[in-house]
Amino acid sequence: MAFDPDAVLRHFGQAARGYHRASTRFPWSWLRGREARALLRVVGPVEGRRVLDLGAGAGYYTRLVLGRGARDAVAVDLSRAMVAEVGPERTLRLVSDAASVSLRRRFDLILSAGVLEFARDPVAVLANAAVLAAPGAALAALVPVDSAGGRLYRSYHRRHGIAVRLYSRESLGGAAAAAGWRLEATQRVWPYTLVARLALAKA
Ligand SMILES: C[S@@+](CC[C@H](N)C(=O)[O-])C[C@H]1O[C@@H](n2cnc3c(N)ncnc32)[C@H](O)[C@@H]1O
C-alpha cells in the first residue's frame, strides 16, 4: 500500500473532535499513560524548555509537557481540525507539514509522537527537526514497532487506506543518523511502542 497523505488528513480530520477526550478514557488512557511516563523518563525534566510538538494532533503531549513546567510550545499538525483541538495556553498552533514547517525560533525539546509512521519521508521530518533544534536539544520520538501489537495497529489503519510504517531500534537509529541525529536512549512499551531520545549528532 502506497503512502497517501490525503488518507492521513482525511482520517485525522474526522477523528479530531473527541480525540483528546478519547485518549483520557480507558482503554486508550491506559496505553497513553504508560507511553507518556516512558517518554518523560527518556527525555528527563522538561521545566523551562521551549517545545516543538511535530504532528501534535489534539495536543496530548503539548499539554503533558506544559503541565510539567515547559516554558511554551509550538504545536504543528497537517490537520486543521486537530490543531483546533490543542489548548491555546502558552501554545502557538500551526497547520503545516512537519517535514517542511519553517520557523524563526529554535527549540530545546522536539516531540514527534505517533507521526513518523505516517510521514511520506520520515528522514525529511527528522532533518527539518534538526534545523529547528537549538544547540543541545533533544528529540523525543514515539513510534510503533514491528511486533504482533504493531501489526494489529497497522491493520487498523489499513482499514482507513493508511499505510503505517513499523520500526525497530535499528531502523529508527538509521533514519535518525541520516537526518543528523543520534539515538541516545530507548524504552519499549508493551504492546507496540518504542520511545526514543535523540540528540543532535553535531552537538
Ligand atoms: C496518531 S496522531 C498523534 C497525535 C499526537 N502526537 C498524539 O500523540 O496524540 C498522528 C498525527 O500526526 C499528524 N501528521 C501526520 N503526518 C504529518 C505530517 N507530515 N506533518 C504534520 N502532522 C502530521 C496527523 O494529522 C495526526 O494528527
Side-chain angles (χ1 to χ4, degrees), residues 30 35 39 48 69 72 95-96 104 107 134 150 153 191 196 198:
W30 170 79
E35 290 175 340
L39 185 138
D72 54 26
V95 180
S96 189
R104 290 225 177 106
F107 299 88
Y153 174 71
L198 314 185

Side-chain angles (χ1 to χ4, degrees), residues 8 12 19 32 55-57 60-61 77-78 82 96-98 113-114 118:
V8 173
F12 286 108
Y19 193 83
R32 286 283 219 178
Y60 181 86
Y61 284 100
D77 201 280
L78 268 186
M82 276 294 189
S96 189
D97 190 324
F118 298 107

